[in-house]
Amino acid sequence: MSWTNTRRIAIIALAVTVLIAIALRLWRIDSLPPGFHFDESFEGLEAWRILTDPSYRPIFLSGNFGVTPLNAYANALTFALFGLFGVEAGPVAMRTTAAVAGVAGVLAVYALGVELRHLDPRRLTPAFPVLAAAVLATLRWHIHFSRMGIEPIFVPLFWAAAAWLLLRGMRTLAVRVER
């Protein structure tokens, strides 16, 4: 199989994987999971305060046993975006933020898989990056946290993105040094 065919198949497989990830994370996001968890409520109220109170810009949320504010800031941004389109800020907006972070995590794992494949292309097949992304896209806990408006969903995203950046930086720096 030629390189262009392999690349075309990889792009199609990645697109299908991302569509599956989106579907699993956004399907009935307004009603599943049912109810609104306490942690979601806390971070939603903090996000609302960040959005509406210009003097409130925390670097740490001391309530709820201490939480980093990244998710609250992301939710405040989503609240503002939803408001621009006339949609109410609330659980659906918060869960959409988590769903977007979940899909971004799937893409970050794909990018990491591509970079890992550069390390040893003989041992890792061209299918490896797509398979890694597909596993994360369908992993039960990842889907679960992609559908709740709390911060654990950012962990795989940041881990995979950081590992990808590190490996890519090492590879591209090595190429520059060799020239």
Side-chain angles (χ1 to χ4, degrees):
M1 189 178 302
S2 73
W3 183 82
T4 55
N5 284 341
T6 303
R7 183 163 171 81
R8 185 175 295 131
I9 289 170
I11 290 170
I12 292 168
L14 177 61
V16 168
T17 300
V18 169
L19 288 174
I20 289 169
I22 290 169
L24 289 172
R25 283 151 183 80
L26 290 177
W27 178 71
R28 294 185 58 195
I29 195 76
D30 60 331
S31 59
L32 288 175
F36 201 48
H37 194 270
F38 174 79
D39 291 343
E40 288 178 291
S41 300
F42 169 76
E43 294 200 25
L45 290 172
E46 290 293 318
W48 185 252
R49 186 170 173 201
I50 289 168
L51 181 64
T52 59
D53 182 356
S55 66
Y56 187 63
R57 297 294 178 261
I59 57 171
F60 189 76
L61 305 177
S62 59
N64 199 24
F65 303 108
V67 181
T68 57
L70 173 68
N71 190 48
Y73 280 102
N75 285 324
L77 176 64
T78 306
F79 287 173
L81 289 173
F82 270 50
L84 288 175
F85 294 103
V87 181
E88 166 181 298
V92 173
M94 291 180 64
R95 290 176 175 177
T96 301
T97 304
V100 168
V103 172
V106 170
L107 290 169
V109 165
Y110 174 80
L112 176 59
V114 169
E115 207 54 47
L116 286 170
R117 190 164 142 47
H118 280 291
L119 290 175
D120 194 354
R122 290 173 288 130
R123 290 182 62 191
L124 297 175
T125 70
F128 173 74
V130 172
L131 290 174
V135 166
L136 189 64
T138 58
L139 207 57
R140 183 177 174 268
W141 74 265
H142 197 264
I143 294 168
H144 173 76
F145 282 112
S146 291
R147 297 181 63 87
M148 293 186 72
I150 55 178
E151 71 280 343
I153 195 58
F154 286 101
V155 173
L157 167 61
F158 290 150
W159 176 84
W164 168 67
L165 288 170
L166 174 68
L167 292 176
R168 182 159 176 91
M170 289 171 55
R171 180 174 59 86
T172 56
L173 180 64
V175 169
R176 284 188 202 154
V177 171
E178 289 174 5
R179 288 184 185 171

